[in-house]
Amino acid sequence: MRTITEPARQLALVSEVDVAVVGGGSAGVMAAIGAARGGARTCLIERFATLGGALSTGIIGHFGNRFRDDQGRPLIGGAPLELLERLIASEGAPYPDVSTAVDAGASVFFSAAQAAQECLRMVVEAGVELWLLNSFATAQPAPGGGWDLIVENKSGRQAIRAREVVDCSGEADVARAVGAPANINGDRSWGLLFELRHVDVIQYATYLEKASATCPEFEPWLAHYLGISRAQLRRDLYWGEWLDGGRRAWKWRPLIMQAVDAGEFDLIRDLP
């Protein structure tokens, strides 16, 4: 591979904080809020112009309901529960109150756009220093301890110094930059999320009422389609949830099989 030599240059040290959080997804938002509310001068570095990650730009539309255990005992509180409360209060979630939401099932649904707004409000109210539209580039030890984080934005490359760093990049970007050991687990799948408009809700509800909750033929069909064994399929953290008893065992799985077999729809396991 051919290379070039980048000239050495001095970078502006634009901020010095106690805690820097890299990545403004749901984990980064909660980490930054927690650090700031705990009294640390905190900054949050995010490459996009909004916060929330999968909750917002990922338009995932729901998060797993882990607020209570199987016996109804509270598991999660603090900022995550506060976010749910704010979503309900702003009519960004279709529930009259928090109790109804956490009793609704395995998933709690919400508006992606409203989630972005509430994440931003919570971070600003906590006093977090926001660095939106800043991409993390690399990091190096800072003189006297801590870390110098190099970011890139419209002004070029700049540096932020932090005593502690929380890596919420989603891909261990900071950890890899400083040489920390990291494992890559290949037993993962990915999906594309989207929203549908102009859906005949009555027809959809009628279909769900009549459709069977089980589809035993789906497991061997999916394993054959993906080119893996049924044992591998059951272990897969994503596709395994599509099988009977899983939380993605949708009643329209027969329609998925029909569309795929007709060449009208593709299920993609790996990126090209």
Side-chain angles (χ1 to χ4, degrees), residues 205-229:
T206 301
Y207 171 82
L208 291 182
E209 288 178 2
K210 296 180 179 180
S212 173
T214 61
C215 185
E217 65 272 24
F218 187 76
E219 179 177 330
W221 175 88
L222 183 59
H224 175 75
Y225 180 84
L226 296 175
I228 59 178
S229 69

Side-chain angles (χ1 to χ4, degrees), residues 9-256:
R9 52 182 160 173
Q10 299 295 311
L11 301 184
L13 185 59
V14 293
S15 181
E16 296 187 57
V17 296
D18 298 318
V19 177
V21 180
V22 177
S26 56
V29 165
M30 298 305 159
I33 291 172
R37 288 179 176 178
R41 182 182 177 188
T42 306
C43 78
L44 178 57
I45 301 167
E46 168 56 41
R47 61 177 173 166
F48 294 132
T50 188
L51 300 176
L55 301 184
S56 56
T57 54
I59 58 172
I60 192 170
H62 67 89
F63 43 72
N65 188 356
R66 302 292 186 269
F67 292 96
R68 295 178 182 170
D69 64 13
D70 294 339
Q71 285 73 47
R73 296 171 297 190
L75 286 178
I76 297 176
L81 183 60
E82 181 182 337
L83 174 59
L84 176 58
E85 292 170 346
R86 287 174 177 244
L87 286 169
I88 293 172
S90 63
E91 299 184 347
Y95 310 100
D97 50 53
V98 171
S99 182
T100 302
V102 298
D103 288 338
S107 297
V108 176
F109 296 89
F110 58 88
S111 160
Q114 194 61 36
Q117 290 295 318
E118 297 305 329
C119 285
L120 181 60
R121 289 192 182 102
M122 291 177 68
V123 166
V124 170
E125 290 171 8
V128 176
E129 181 181 296
L130 265 177
W131 290 88
L132 299 177
L133 295 172
N134 276 262
S135 295
F136 170 79
T138 189
Q140 61 190 36
W147 302 94
D148 286 338
L149 306 178
I150 312 303
V151 298
E152 293 184 337
N153 53 45
K154 286 292 186 179
S155 298
R157 288 166 71 91
Q158 298 175 328
I160 296 173
R161 181 165 292 169
R163 292 173 54 195
E164 303 289 345
V165 180
V166 182
D167 187 347
C168 293
S169 64
E171 296 178 322
D173 291 344
V174 182
R176 289 188 297 171
V178 300
N183 295 324
I184 299 177
N185 192 331
D187 190 20
R188 295 290 186 274
S189 299
W190 62 276
L192 177 65
L193 300 168
F194 56 90
E195 293 183 347
L196 292 176
R197 304 283 181 175
H198 308 295
V199 174
D200 187 329
V201 178
I202 295 177
Q203 184 178 356
Y204 173 63
T206 301
Y207 171 82
L208 291 182
E209 288 178 2
K210 296 180 179 180
S212 173
T214 61
C215 185
E217 65 272 24
F218 187 76
E219 179 177 330
W221 175 88
L222 183 59
H224 175 75
Y225 180 84
L226 296 175
I228 59 178
S229 69
R230 294 174 67 173
Q232 289 175 306
L233 179 62
R234 296 188 195 102
R235 290 195 301 268
D236 192 287
L237 295 182
Y238 177 69
W239 293 113
E241 293 183 341
W242 287 47
L243 307 181
D244 282 346
R247 66 190 186 97
R248 299 180 193 271
W250 299 302
K251 290 186 175 182
W252 59 82
R253 287 176 295 165
L255 298 181
I256 294 176

